[in-house]
Amino acid sequence: MCTAIRIKSKDTYFGRNLDLSYSFGQEVILTHRNHPFSFTDGTKVDSHPAILGIGTIANGYPLYADAFNENGLAIAGLNFPGNAFFFKPVEGKTNVSPFEWIPYLLSHASTIAQAREILRSLNLVDIPFSKSLPLAPLHWIVADDKESIVIESQKDGIHIYDDPFDVLTNNPPFPFHSENMRRYLNLSAKEEKSRFAKDLDLTPFSVGFGSLFLPGDYSSPSRFVKACFLAKNVPLSFDDEIAQQRLFFRILQSVSFLPGAVINPDGTTERTLYSSCMNLSKKTYAYQSENDATTTLVSMDDYDLDGKELLHGPLSSKESLERQRLVLA
């Protein structure tokens, strides 16, 4: 399970919760501009925008779960089991495996408009990274400073959807979520005076009745609605970037998985491994890991990006509790 959101304010923010029942060796990875890529379609790229995100490195290859490039294009892969379908290579198509789709896109495009051109000939192929690393059943949300799109590869082909909600979760496919949002037309952050009979003048007995029936369960349709409601109503318009990041993370926390709240059929517990907040305007990647309540920030500006290296580091996992000492009034 996962939830991703995009918010446009003074800066453009994009991020996600990565929800799984197990860790996958996740770490922060910075790919320098001159790190060479060899892709399934036979093409090689020796120079590209720098890429920063979270994933794992296998045999020197960055397998990103989500990332953005220095020009402000971001992408995240979310679980899509039972619906994701990948094809055999087709001559004349851009044959890319899902494991390399994130670095492929971020190496070749810097805007959604450029991504759409690549998508015209894209064929996501059923070729795993290795026998020990099979393909994950994913769909993707892609974002820049102007818009978001969703990419779903299914048996009837690859679908590209405009995403006016700037949100993606998991199953069912995106058209269901778009239609499901119509059930919540009356949700409001404001209190509305209600009357269901001419002789009854009813007033709310607490705040929050404008959002009555806002879903709060852990299902993907409910997380989609709740994340969209909060993202469209929370005023991320501060000059203080830290304050904006704090609110962004609070939105993600509202749809995160607490250990024990969801037990999978195999008995494992779904949990939020990390939450991320990418500032696409300032080229920073902030995250909160499941074992660290603090926010950690990685900035491209702190590195000389002209190189071939892969830089990486484990997610912060320090547990700290600061004591506060009170003084006389």
Side-chain angles (χ1 to χ4, degrees):
M1 300 295 106
C2 295
T3 304
I5 59 175
R6 169 192 175 273
I7 293 178
K8 174 69 174 178
S9 60
K10 181 180 178 181
D11 293 335
T12 302
Y13 294 88
F14 176 80
R16 58 95 59 83
N17 288 336
L18 194 142
D19 310 316
L20 271 177
S21 60
Y22 58 90
S23 296
F24 59 95
Q26 61 272 14
E27 56 183 346
V28 184
I29 306 170
L30 174 60
T31 302
H32 280 64
R33 292 172 181 149
N34 300 313
H35 177 80
F37 282 113
S38 296
F39 297 109
T40 299
D41 66 353
T43 62
K44 295 183 178 180
V45 175
D46 294 323
S47 181
H48 51 78
I51 301 169
L52 177 60
I54 285 181
T56 186
I57 297 175
N59 297 329
Y61 199 96
L63 301 173
Y64 283 108
D66 54 79
F68 73 100
N69 67 24
E70 62 181 300
N71 296 323
L73 184 67
I75 177 172
L78 286 74
N79 205 22
F80 195 46
N83 282 301
F85 185 87
F86 307 121
F87 301 87
K88 300 301 179 185
V90 176
E91 187 175 352
K93 289 278 193 177
T94 302
N95 297 298
V96 179
S97 175
F99 78 79
E100 63 188 355
W101 171 230
I102 290 180
Y104 186 95
L105 180 66
L106 297 183
S107 294
H108 288 81
S110 295
T111 64
I112 294 287
Q114 293 174 354
R116 289 184 191 275
E117 291 300 313
I118 295 171
L119 290 166
R120 291 179 186 274
S121 62
L122 180 67
N123 180 41
L124 289 169
V125 295
D126 187 14
I127 299 176
F129 182 79
S130 66
K131 290 183 179 180
S132 60
L133 289 173
L135 294 178
L138 302 175
H139 60 173
W140 295 266
I141 179 171
V142 185
D144 64 9
D145 66 339
K146 294 183 174 61
E147 60 181 324
S148 303
I149 60 173
V150 170
I151 302 165
E152 295 182 339
S153 182
Q154 299 178 259
K155 286 185 177 181
D156 59 346
I158 291 182
H159 304 275
I160 299 96
Y161 303 103
D162 294 335
D163 185 358
F165 311 105
D166 293 319
V167 172
L168 185 63
T169 55
N170 310 103
N171 287 320
F174 186 75
F176 171 91
H177 292 291
S178 297
E179 185 65 21
N180 185 56
M181 290 292 288
R182 292 155 59 96
R183 298 178 57 201
Y184 301 94
L185 295 173
N186 294 324
L187 289 179
S188 173
K190 299 179 180 179
E191 300 295 344
E192 302 292 342
K193 186 175 182 180
S194 179
R195 183 195 302 266
F196 66 80
K198 291 182 179 179
D199 58 344
L200 293 177
D201 189 8
L202 302 177
T203 58
F205 50 76
S206 78
V207 299
F209 272 80
S211 58
L212 193 65
F213 305 121
L214 176 68
D217 61 85
Y218 289 96
S219 68
S220 56
S222 293
R223 284 183 284 110
F224 192 105
V225 174
K226 187 173 184 180
C228 182
F229 175 82
L230 294 175
K232 298 301 183 185
N233 284 291
V234 171
L236 290 187
S237 58
F238 305 108
D239 290 332
D240 183 353
E241 183 180 3
I242 294 177
Q244 297 207 51
Q245 286 177 346
R246 184 185 307 117
L247 285 176
F248 192 95
F249 280 118
R250 289 189 68 181
I251 294 172
L252 290 176
Q253 288 166 3
S254 75
V255 289
S256 66
F257 281 76
L258 293 174
V262 175
I263 307 297
N264 295 315
D266 62 0
T268 58
T269 297
E270 200 78 5
R271 66 190 203 268
T272 298
L273 301 184
Y274 69 84
S275 303
S276 63
C277 175
M278 310 172 206
N279 186 324
L280 304 186
S281 307
K282 291 187 170 62
K283 299 184 291 187
T284 62
Y285 189 109
Y287 69 88
Q288 295 177 350
S289 71
E290 66 174 333
N291 297 320
D292 190 349
T294 61
T295 299
T296 303
L297 183 76
V298 181
S299 174
M300 284 191 180
D301 289 341
D302 292 339
Y303 299 89
D304 179 2
L305 302 176
D306 287 317
K308 295 184 178 181
E309 297 83 8
L310 280 180
L311 298 182
H312 65 105
L315 269 60
S316 176
S317 60
K318 62 176 185 245
E319 292 281 9
S320 62
L321 181 64
E322 292 187 6
R323 292 180 179 270
Q324 180 180 2
R325 185 170 182 82
L326 304 182
V327 299
L328 293 173

